[in-house]
């Protein structure tokens, strides 16, 4: 339940947007412009952008992850609580210092890089001098990206991608209603086969076969651009200060400065289930109809 409590405590990032005189622009191809004849909207995913051909301008190999690096110059000894802090529960040690380690979110995983670290029977871990890398991947979520534009500027789709030749605007007052409408469309349309359900039977039937209709929430806001997303851990306290549980949602809105020209405003759609908690989706983007009745119509 800790993850839902954290999600409940987060204020919508649009609060930071209030007071800014900016337009919210969605650049796209002409045939995908929902302000014209297009009746569908496409949502990307963290995995999709991370695993995309890096030659594409929208590809981001660091998307949907938190990367830690330890560069201590001498042996660093951390306890089980500090070790568990950066793994998100995917790998954990349970002992007197951490009797109830966080349970992992569905779809989250950790990748420990090359390096020398030694686990001890007392629950401590010794990290030898040199780089120790850990990368924790979020449960894969649907995301929708727009750009912030000064009202005095003219939209230029080609600045985002050479494939784009069109755009549409979302007014500031409509940001919340827009995100809520997308949440409802996802909840009504999501299929079991679109989810990563480890150790569960995958079928093409509707999510209702799991016994509960999912709840879809959206957190959204402007992206913060940083020189390096890597979190440096050089002393035991750094592990506590950079607890993955605490920075999980905030880190979804950080990108490398190389993407700064996008001036991105991001919507992240999180699918929750009463039993399975936060559900990860598969890599592929999702195309949803803007007309909820469309799926009932036979041609």
């Amino acid at each position: 339940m800790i993850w839902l409590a954290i999600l409940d405590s987060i204020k919508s990032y649009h609060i930071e947007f209030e007071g800014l005189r900016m337009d919210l622009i969605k650049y796209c191809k002409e045939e995908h412009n929902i302000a014209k004849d297009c009746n569908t909207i496409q949502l990307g995913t963290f995995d999709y952008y991370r695993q995309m051909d890096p030659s594409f301008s929208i590809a981001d190999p660091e998307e949907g992850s938190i990367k830690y690096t330890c560069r201590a110059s001498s042996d660093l000894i951390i306890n089980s609580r500090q070790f568990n802090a950066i793994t998100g529960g995917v790998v954990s040690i349970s002992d007197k210092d951490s009797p109830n380690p966080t349970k992992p979110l569905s779809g989250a995983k950790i990748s420990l890089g090359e390096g020398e670290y030694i686990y001890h029977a007392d629950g401590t871990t010794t990290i030898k001098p040199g780089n120790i890398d850990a990368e924790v991947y979020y449960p894969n979520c649907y995301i929708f990206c727009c750009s912030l534009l000064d009202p005095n500027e003219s939209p230029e789709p080609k600045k985002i991608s050479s494939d784009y030749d069109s755009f549409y605007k979302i007014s500031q007052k409509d940001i919340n209603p827009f995100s809520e409408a997308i949440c409802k469309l996802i909840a009504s349309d999501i299929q079991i086969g679109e989810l990563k359900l480890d150790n569960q039977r995958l079928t093409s039937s509707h999510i209702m076969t799991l016994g509960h209709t999912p709840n879809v929430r959206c957190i959204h806001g402007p992206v913060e651009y940083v020189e390096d997303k890597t979190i440096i851990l050089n002393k035991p306290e750094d592990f506590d200060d950079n607890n993955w549980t605490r920075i999980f949602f905030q880190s979804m809105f950080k990108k490398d400065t190389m993407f700064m020209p996008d001036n991105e405003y991001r919507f992240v759609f999180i699918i929750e289930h009463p039993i399975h908690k936060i559900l990860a989706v598969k890599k592929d983007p999702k195309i949803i109809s803007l007309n909820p009745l469309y799926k009932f119509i036979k041609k």
Side-chain angles (χ1 to χ4, degrees):
M1 297 301 291
I2 184 172
W3 297 105
L4 298 185
I6 292 173
L7 188 54
D8 281 333
S9 69
I10 291 180
K11 300 297 183 182
S12 294
Y13 283 77
H14 76 276
I15 292 175
E16 300 176 17
F17 188 46
E18 291 177 357
L20 294 177
R21 294 180 57 82
M22 304 288 277
D23 288 331
L24 197 58
I25 307 292
K26 178 60 179 179
Y27 293 111
C28 58
K29 294 180 180 180
E30 180 77 12
E31 62 264 33
H32 298 153
N33 192 329
I34 64 175
K36 297 184 177 180
D37 296 327
C38 183
N39 190 41
T40 61
I41 191 168
Q42 176 170 294
L43 308 176
T45 73
F46 289 132
D47 287 355
Y48 175 72
Y49 291 115
R50 185 175 65 250
Q51 299 172 25
M52 181 181 287
D53 184 333
S55 64
F56 293 169
S57 62
I58 58 176
D60 183 356
E62 296 183 343
E63 191 66 88
S65 67
I66 302 175
K67 184 180 293 184
Y68 298 97
T69 292
C70 182
R71 300 172 183 164
S73 57
S74 59
D75 284 4
L76 185 65
I77 300 177
I78 60 175
N79 60 32
S80 59
R81 185 193 73 255
Q82 291 162 335
F83 174 85
N84 293 342
I86 68 165
T87 68
V90 180
V91 178
S92 62
I93 301 172
S94 179
D95 65 4
K96 60 180 178 60
D97 290 315
S98 183
N100 298 299
T102 299
K103 293 182 179 179
L105 287 178
S106 172
K109 61 181 179 179
I110 184 170
S111 173
L112 288 173
E114 296 295 328
E116 190 174 358
Y117 39 92
I118 304 169
Y119 302 104
H120 304 290
D122 64 356
T124 61
T125 299
T126 297
I127 299 177
K128 307 297 287 185
N131 284 2
I132 301 293
D133 297 327
E135 191 163 12
V136 187
Y137 300 93
Y138 317 141
N140 196 36
C141 297
Y142 290 123
I143 58 178
F144 184 76
C145 307
C146 299
S147 294
L148 289 169
L149 187 71
D150 189 291
N152 297 320
E153 295 183 58
S154 298
E156 296 183 36
K158 297 295 183 185
K159 290 178 63 176
I160 303 300
S161 172
S162 58
D163 293 331
Y164 292 163
D165 57 4
S166 190
F167 68 90
Y168 55 89
K169 297 182 180 181
I170 302 170
S171 68
Q172 291 191 37
K173 68 180 179 61
D174 290 329
I175 291 178
N176 274 341
F178 173 82
S179 64
E180 291 165 3
I182 299 298
C183 286
K184 291 178 181 178
L185 289 173
I186 295 173
S188 66
D189 189 68
I190 194 70
Q191 304 291 315
I192 289 182
E194 295 173 307
L195 302 174
K196 290 181 180 178
L197 296 176
D198 297 335
N199 301 319
Q200 303 266 354
R201 181 183 177 187
L202 297 180
T203 71
S204 60
S205 17
H206 193 273
I207 191 67
M208 281 295 288
T209 59
L210 285 182
H212 299 272
T213 300
N215 180 41
V216 181
R217 300 201 207 186
C218 179
I219 55 175
H220 55 88
V223 167
E224 176 187 358
Y225 296 97
V226 294
E227 291 290 342
D228 188 352
K229 288 177 61 178
T230 304
I231 297 172
I232 308 301
L233 308 169
N234 285 335
K235 54 185 185 298
E237 304 84 68
D238 290 339
F239 290 76
D240 291 317
D241 293 342
N242 294 283
N243 188 306
W244 188 74
T245 305
R246 183 175 59 80
I247 64 177
F248 171 70
F249 294 104
Q250 290 88 339
S251 61
M252 292 180 179
F253 293 84
K254 288 187 178 181
K255 290 178 69 72
D256 190 279
T257 50
M258 67 179 291
F259 297 102
M260 189 176 291
D262 295 347
N263 203 15
E264 182 181 337
Y265 190 93
R266 169 172 293 189
F267 298 82
V268 179
F269 298 95
I270 298 171
I271 302 175
E272 303 169 0
H273 189 273
I275 297 173
H276 304 288
K277 309 310 175 189
I278 293 181
L279 299 178
V281 300
K282 291 184 177 178
K283 170 187 171 181
D284 294 340
K286 182 174 179 60
I287 298 176
I288 53 179
S289 172
L290 301 181
N291 179 357
L293 298 178
Y294 180 80
K295 61 185 176 183
F296 303 114
I297 307 299
K298 305 300 181 183
K299 293 184 179 180

